[in-house]
C-alpha cells in the first residue's frame, strides 16, 4: 500500500472525505475521543467534518453536556461522549496517573490531600452546581488547602481521572466543573477486557490504516495492551504491508480518492495527532526524508497531503487567517482555498480577512 493510498483510507475513516454522521456528539463517539486542549480549535475540527453545523451549535452541545471535556487517554484534554467517559477512564486513567506521579510528588500531593480535596469538590458541586477553577480554589482556601498554579491543576486532573468531575457549562469565557454522576445519565459499563476491545475497535475504525505503535501513542496504552486489543478484533482487523511498515485496518473496500479540496485542519487535529508516523501525509509535495518548513502549527491538507500551514488571529469583527504554503498555489488549489475560507466564515459567522495568493 502506497503512502497516498494510506492517506486516502485515512481521509475516509477520519470523516474528511464525506460523512454520513449528522451531529457533533455522534462524531466524537465515532472517534472515541478527540484531543481538545485547544478548545476553539477542537470545535472547528468537528465543524470541518460536519459542514451543516455552526460553532454556536457545537458550543450549545458542550454546555448541555452532550459532549464532555476532560482528561483521559493521555495527560491532556479530550472531548468525549458522555456514554463513553467512564469506560475510557477505567482503561486509560491508571496509565495517566503513573505518568502524573512525579508531578504529584513535586507539588507535595498525596492520597490524603487528594481525598480531602475530592470531599470538598463533591460538597461544593453537588445539587447541580457548576463552578470555575478560581471559584473552586477559593473554596479550597477556606479549608486551608493551598491549591494555586500547577498544584491546583494536579488536584483537578486527579479528580477527573478518578471519575468524580468533568466539564460543566461555560460561564462567559470561563470553563466550569460539574460532578460526573450528576452531569450524565447512567450507561452500560464495560469491564477492562471489554473496554480494551472497544477502544481498539474505535481507534482503527476511525483512523486506520494505522500501526500498533500509532495506537499506543494515541491511546496511552502499553504496547502489550495494544497488541492484545488488536488480537481481540480477530480476522475483521486485517494486517497489511505499506510504505513505512505494517498497518492494521478494517474494511479495505472503502477507499475513495480524496476530493480536490483544501482543509484547514485545527491545531492537534486527529488527522495529525492520531499517529506517531506521519510520513504518509507528506508524500505529495515533498520527499519523506525532507520535512518542509512548518511555519505555523495548524496544517493545510489537499487530497490527503499536507501542503502548508496556517494560523488565525482573532480581531473584534473579523478573523485574520495567515498562511504558509510549501509551493505557490495553482488555479485549482486557489479555488479550493477560497471554498475552505467560505466554510470557515460560515462556521464562525464572522468575516475572514486573508492574504491574496497568485495562481501559477
Amino acid at each position: 500500500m502506497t503512502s497516498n493510498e494510506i492517506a486516502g483510507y485515512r481521509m475516509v475513516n477520519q470523516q474528511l472525505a464525506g460523512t454520513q454522521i449528522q451531529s457533533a456528539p455522534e462524531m466524537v463517539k465515532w472517534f472515541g475521543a478527540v484531543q481538545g486542549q485547544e478548545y476553539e480549535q477542537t470545535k472547528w475540527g468537528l465543524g470541518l467534518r460536519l459542514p451543516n453545523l455552526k460553532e454556536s451549535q457545537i458550543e450549545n452541545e458542550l454546555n448541555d453536556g452532550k459532549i464532555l471535556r476532560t482528561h483521559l487517554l493521555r495527560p491532556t484534554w479530550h472531548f468525549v461522549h458522555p456514554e463513553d467517559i467512564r469506560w475510557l477512564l477505567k482503561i486509560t486513567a491508571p496509565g495517566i496517573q503513573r505518568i502524573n506521579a512525579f508531578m504529584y510528588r513535586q507539588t507535595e500531593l498525596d492520597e490524603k490531600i487528594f481525598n480531602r480535596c475530592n470531599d470538598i469538590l463533591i460538597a461544593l458541586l453537588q445539587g447541580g452546581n457548576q463552578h470555575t477553577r478560581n471559584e473552586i480554589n477559593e473554596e479550597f482556601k477556606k479549608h486551608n488547602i493551598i491549591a494555586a498554579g500547577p498544584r491546583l491543576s494536579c488536584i483537578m486532573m486527579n479528580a477527573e481521572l478518578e471519575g468524580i468531575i468533568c466539564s460543566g457549562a461555560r460561564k462567559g469565557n470561563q470553563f466550569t466543573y460539574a460532578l460526573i454522576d450528576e452531569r450524565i445519565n447512567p450507561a452500560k459499563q464495560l469491564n477492562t477486557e471489554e473496554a480494551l476491545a472497544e477502544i481498539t475497535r474505535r481507534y482503527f475504525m476511525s483512523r486506520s490504516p494505522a500501526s500498533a505503535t500509532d495506537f499506543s501513542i494515541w491511546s496511552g496504552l502499553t504496547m502489550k495492551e495494544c497488541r492484545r486489543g488488536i488480537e481481540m478484533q480477530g480476522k475483521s482487523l486485517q494486517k497489511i504491508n505499506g510504505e513505512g511498515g505494517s498497518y492494521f485496518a478494517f474494511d479495505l473496500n472503502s477507499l475513495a480518492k480524496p476530493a480536490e479540496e483544501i482543509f484547514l485542519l485545527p491545531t492537534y487535529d486527529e488527522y495529525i495527532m492520531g499517529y506517531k508516523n506521519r510520513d504518509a501525509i507528506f508524500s505529495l509535495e515533498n520527499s519523506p526524508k525532507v520535512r518542509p518548513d512548518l511555519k505555523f502549527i495548524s496544517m493545510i491538507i489537499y487530497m490527503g497531503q499536507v501542503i502548508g500551514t496556517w494560523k488565525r488571529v482573532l480581531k473584534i469583527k473579523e478573523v485574520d487567517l495567515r498562511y504558509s504554503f510549501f509551493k505557490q498555489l495553482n488555479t485549482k488549489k486557489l479555488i479550493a482555498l477560497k471554498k475552505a475560507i467560505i466554510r470557515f466564515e460560515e462556521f464562525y459567522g464572522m468575516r475572514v480577512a486573508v492574504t491574496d495568493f497568485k495562481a501559477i
Side-chain angles (χ1 to χ4, degrees), residues 246-291:
S246 297
Y247 300 88
F248 295 91
F250 289 108
D251 187 14
L252 291 179
N253 295 316
S254 60
L255 178 63
K257 183 179 179 181
E260 295 180 351
E261 297 180 66
I262 279 181
F263 293 92
L264 305 174
L265 294 185
T267 303
Y268 306 127
D269 189 80
E270 291 295 327
Y271 190 69
I272 307 295
M273 302 307 296
Y275 314 93
K276 179 182 180 181
N277 185 335
R278 298 160 189 163
D279 285 347
I281 61 174
F282 283 97
S283 66
L284 183 63
E285 301 278 344
N286 307 278
S287 165
K289 296 180 180 179
V290 181
R291 282 287 182 265

Side-chain angles (χ1 to χ4, degrees), residues 260-262 302 329-342 359:
E260 295 180 351
E261 297 180 66
I262 279 181
Y302 177 77
L329 301 183
N330 59 25
T331 301
K332 187 178 293 185
K333 290 177 184 175
L334 185 58
I335 293 172
L337 174 62
K338 290 179 179 178
K339 290 181 179 179
I341 293 168
I342 290 172

Side-chain angles (χ1 to χ4, degrees), residues 49 54 59 90 98 128 137 144 180 203 217 230 242 309:
R49 292 166 168 85
K54 298 184 184 300
E59 179 71 17
K90 177 191 288 288
R98 287 192 294 271
N137 191 24
N144 298 316
I180 280 184
Y203 175 78
I217 294 298
I230 289 170
T309 60

Side-chain angles (χ1 to χ4, degrees), residues 26-45:
E26 280 185 273
M27 186 65 72
V28 171
K29 194 171 185 66
W30 169 258
F31 278 102
V34 177
Q35 189 164 331
Q37 72 267 42
E38 294 291 338
Y39 181 77
E40 294 296 335
Q41 294 264 8
T42 306
K43 286 190 293 182
W44 166 238

Side-chain angles (χ1 to χ4, degrees), residues 4-281:
N4 280 339
E5 287 174 330
I6 292 169
Y9 279 116
R10 288 179 180 175
M11 287 284 288
V12 171
N13 293 327
Q14 289 255 352
Q15 306 301 310
L16 287 166
T19 180
Q20 300 300 313
I21 295 174
Q22 296 296 311
S23 73
E26 280 185 273
M27 186 65 72
V28 171
K29 194 171 185 66
W30 169 258
F31 278 102
V34 177
Q35 189 164 331
Q37 72 267 42
E38 294 291 338
Y39 181 77
E40 294 296 335
Q41 294 264 8
T42 306
K43 286 190 293 182
W44 166 238
L46 297 176
L48 191 66
R49 292 166 168 85
L50 295 162
N52 58 310
L53 292 186
K54 298 184 184 300
E55 184 272 340
S56 58
Q57 294 172 289
I58 299 176
E59 179 71 17
N60 288 339
E61 288 171 324
L62 283 151
N63 284 330
D64 291 342
K66 296 177 182 178
I67 302 170
L68 301 177
R69 183 173 179 259
T70 192
H71 284 88
L72 41 71
L73 300 188
R74 307 180 299 281
T76 191
W77 297 98
H78 283 81
F79 283 12
V80 61
H81 194 282
E83 293 177 359
D84 298 327
I85 189 171
R86 289 192 176 97
W87 68 261
L88 281 169
L89 284 171
K90 177 191 288 288
I91 194 166
T92 65
I96 302 174
Q97 293 287 41
R98 287 192 294 271
I99 294 171
N100 287 353
F102 174 77
M103 183 60 71
Y104 294 161
R105 291 192 297 270
Q106 290 293 104
T107 52
E108 299 181 338
L109 292 168
D110 56 25
E111 186 175 358
K112 182 178 179 180
I113 297 175
F114 281 140
N115 288 338
R116 281 189 64 202
C117 292
N118 291 341
D119 289 342
I120 293 167
L121 282 169
I122 292 170
L124 179 66
L125 298 175
Q126 65 185 358
N129 293 312
Q130 300 179 10
H131 288 286
T132 67
R133 184 173 291 207
N134 288 338
E135 291 169 344
I136 291 169
N137 191 24
E138 290 301 313
E139 188 67 17
F140 284 147
K141 288 179 182 178
K142 294 177 183 178
H143 293 80
N144 298 316
I145 294 176
I146 299 173
R151 203 165 196 259
L152 180 59
S153 296
C154 287
I155 290 170
M156 301 307 292
M157 190 188 300
N158 178 74
E160 289 175 300
L161 294 171
E162 290 190 11
I164 296 170
I165 61 173
C166 63
S167 60
R170 287 216 282 180
K171 289 184 179 179
N173 290 324
Q174 294 190 56
F175 297 102
T176 69
Y177 292 88
L179 294 178
I180 280 184
D181 289 341
E182 294 184 349
R183 187 70 162 148
I184 62 177
N185 295 323
K188 179 184 177 182
Q189 293 309 299
L190 307 180
N191 61 36
T192 303
E193 281 284 285
E194 292 170 333
L196 178 58
E198 184 62 14
I199 194 174
T200 306
R201 187 186 72 83
R202 297 277 188 96
Y203 175 78
F204 285 102
M205 286 294 292
S206 60
R207 297 167 178 84
S208 65
S211 69
T213 302
D214 292 331
F215 177 36
S216 177
I217 294 298
W218 174 82
S219 66
L221 300 176
T222 66
M223 284 298 296
K224 181 178 179 180
E225 290 172 314
C226 291
R227 292 189 186 102
R228 171 60 180 151
I230 289 170
E231 290 174 359
M232 294 168 75
Q233 306 305 306
K235 294 182 180 179
S236 61
L237 187 60
Q238 304 172 48
K239 185 175 182 179
I240 54 177
N241 293 320
E243 292 181 25
S246 297
Y247 300 88
F248 295 91
F250 289 108
D251 187 14
L252 291 179
N253 295 316
S254 60
L255 178 63
K257 183 179 179 181
E260 295 180 351
E261 297 180 66
I262 279 181
F263 293 92
L264 305 174
L265 294 185
T267 303
Y268 306 127
D269 189 80
E270 291 295 327
Y271 190 69
I272 307 295
M273 302 307 296
Y275 314 93
K276 179 182 180 181
N277 185 335
R278 298 160 189 163
D279 285 347
I281 61 174

